[in-house]
Amino acid sequence: MPQRAQSNRNAARRTHARRRALPLALLAAGPILAAPLSAELEGDVSAGYDSNPAQSHEATGLAFARYVFAAVQPIGLGGADVSLGASGFYTDYEAANDNYRFALNADWSGTWPDDSGVLTVSAAGAAYRDALVPADARNEAALTLRYERMLTTRDSLDLTAEVRQLGYIYPSLPWAGRPGSGPSLPAAGQSGRARGGLAVRRTDLLSGLGIDVTHAWSPTLTGVLSAAITRCNSPVPVDAYVRSGAGFQIRAEPAVDWSLELGLGWSRTAYDRAPQQQERVDNEVAAGLTLRRTIEQAALFCSLDWIDSQSTIATRAFRQQVTQCGLSWSF
C-alpha cells in the first residue's frame, strides 16, 4: 500500500517488479544480442482527478491524464535468466504541473535453493522530475534483492531488501517535499534562505526490508498480507526518518474477464532526528479499489485511491483522493 499508499498494490507489485527489469547490462551487449529478440511490452493510458496531488495541508485538486509504459527484453547469458528493459510514466496535470519518471533496470534471477524458490538481483537507475513539487525532483540508483518461494500449492512468500540512493536536484528547505508541501524553492542551481532556514541540495540513502505472504483461497480469490520497514538517512537531520507499515490486498474474479482488487494499508513515519521542539510523527491510513475488465490483451479499468495522513505537526497533515479510468494493454 502507500507511500503514496505504501501498501495499496502488493500483488501488482510482484508482477511489475519482474517487468521493471531494465539495462545496466547493456555493457555486455556484444554476445547478448545474438539472442533472439522477444521483448515484452505493456502500457496504459488513463485520465482522472487528484484532490491533492502535492499532498499538502492546503489541498488544491487537479485533473490529469497519465501515460505509463514498460518494455522488457529477456536475454540468454550463459545459463542465467537475465532481462533488460525500460519503464516510466508521464502525468499531465492541469497547467504547468506535470511530473514524469524514467527508469532503466537489469535483473538476474535463478532458482535457489531448489525449483520452488527464485532469487532475483536487480540494479536500477531512474530520473524523476516534478513541476508541481520541485523539491521531490531527483535521480535514483538502487540495488534490490528479492526472494520468492512457493510454500504450498496455495501459499507463497516474497522477501525484499533494497538500498536506494536519492540525489535531489534542487536546493530545498527541510520537509519541503511530499508528504506535505513546504515553502517555495529558490531557482535551480541556487541556494537561499527562507523562514530562517537554509535551502540545500542533499542526497538521501534509503534502506528497507519488506515481506509479502500470498494465499489463494480459490482459483478466483487471492489475498496478500504485507509488512515493510524503511530507514532514510539524510545529511539534513530533520529529513531522516523511520517508516514502518503493513497492508492487506484481496483480489477477486467474480466473472470471466472481470477482476476486483481492494487494498488497505497503514504506515507510521517517525522523523526521529528532528529537534524535540519539532517532533514529527505521521500516521497514514490508505485504501484502494480497482475494477478491471479484460479484453484479450487489453483491459479497461477504473480505480479509487484514498489517503488520510495525520501528523503531530498539524500543517503536515493531509488528505488525498485519486480517481481514474483508462485502458491498459500488453503484448
Side-chain angles (χ1 to χ4, degrees):
M1 309 236 160
Q3 183 168 12
R4 177 179 179 140
Q6 176 187 314
S7 30
N8 241 279
R9 309 179 169 96
N10 296 305
R13 193 182 68 182
R14 184 178 294 101
T15 298
H16 289 333
R18 296 190 187 96
R19 299 194 170 186
R20 248 178 350 191
L22 330 173
L24 280 188
L26 283 173
L27 298 174
I32 291 173
L33 294 179
L37 296 179
S38 56
E40 302 172 17
L41 304 174
E42 65 177 21
D44 67 61
V45 177
S46 61
Y49 183 79
D50 189 331
S51 69
N52 189 1
Q55 296 186 335
S56 64
H57 187 62
E58 301 295 334
T60 299
L62 295 172
F64 67 88
R66 186 176 174 88
Y67 311 91
V68 181
F69 82 94
V72 175
Q73 173 61 58
I75 58 176
L77 187 62
D81 182 5
V82 178
S83 59
L84 309 175
S87 64
F89 69 80
Y90 179 82
T91 309
D92 183 7
Y93 287 106
E94 297 177 68
N97 294 308
D98 302 348
N99 62 38
Y100 63 88
R101 178 184 174 87
F102 178 73
L104 298 175
N105 298 49
D107 286 4
W108 175 94
S109 62
T111 57
W112 182 82
D114 51 45
D115 289 343
S116 61
V118 177
L119 180 66
T120 302
V121 180
S122 303
Y128 174 74
R129 301 295 182 266
D130 195 325
L132 181 63
V133 185
D136 280 343
R138 60 190 180 266
N139 295 322
E140 302 181 16
L143 182 64
T144 305
L145 182 67
R146 182 178 300 106
Y147 181 64
E148 300 171 84
R149 184 173 182 84
M150 292 297 300
L151 302 176
T152 70
T153 55
R154 293 193 175 191
D155 300 288
S156 63
L157 175 69
D158 186 345
L159 301 173
T160 304
E162 182 178 82
V163 177
R164 182 175 295 268
Q165 184 183 67
L166 308 178
Y168 289 92
I169 303 299
Y170 305 123
S172 63
L173 295 169
W175 297 343
R178 299 181 182 87
S181 62
S184 299
L185 292 171
Q190 299 178 0
S191 63
R193 294 182 179 273
R195 298 188 182 181
L198 177 65
V200 297
R201 184 182 287 106
R202 73 184 201 277
T203 298
D204 292 353
L205 184 67
L206 293 180
S207 52
L209 295 171
I211 180 172
D212 290 343
V213 178
T214 303
H215 176 72
W217 285 283
S218 73
T220 59
L221 185 63
T222 303
V224 182
L225 184 64
S226 65
I229 185 167
T230 302
R231 172 80 220 183
C232 175
N233 289 305
S234 177
V236 178
V238 295
D239 279 311
Y241 62 79
V242 175
R243 174 177 290 123
S244 55
F248 178 71
Q249 185 184 63
I250 188 166
R251 186 177 190 274
E253 298 177 9
V256 177
D257 297 328
W258 286 89
S259 67
L260 182 67
E261 296 178 12
L262 172 65
L264 301 172
W266 166 87
S267 69
R268 180 181 186 273
T269 304
Y271 293 82
D272 56 343
R273 295 179 183 172
Q276 289 186 349
Q277 64 272 23
Q278 288 183 300
E279 181 182 0
R280 179 182 174 185
V281 177
D282 296 354
N283 286 290
E284 186 174 286
V285 178
L289 180 66
T290 301
L291 178 64
R292 188 177 301 270
R293 169 72 162 94
T294 302
I295 307 170
E296 296 183 351
Q297 291 181 297
L300 298 171
F301 66 90
C302 283
S303 65
L304 171 63
D305 294 301
W306 173 85
I307 299 174
D308 181 26
S309 181
Q310 298 300 318
S311 177
T312 53
I313 297 181
T315 56
R316 301 294 164 176
F318 71 91
R319 288 184 178 178
Q320 181 183 32
Q321 181 175 301
V322 183
T323 55
Q324 63 179 316
C325 291
L327 172 69
S328 64
W329 63 90
S330 62
F331 54 89

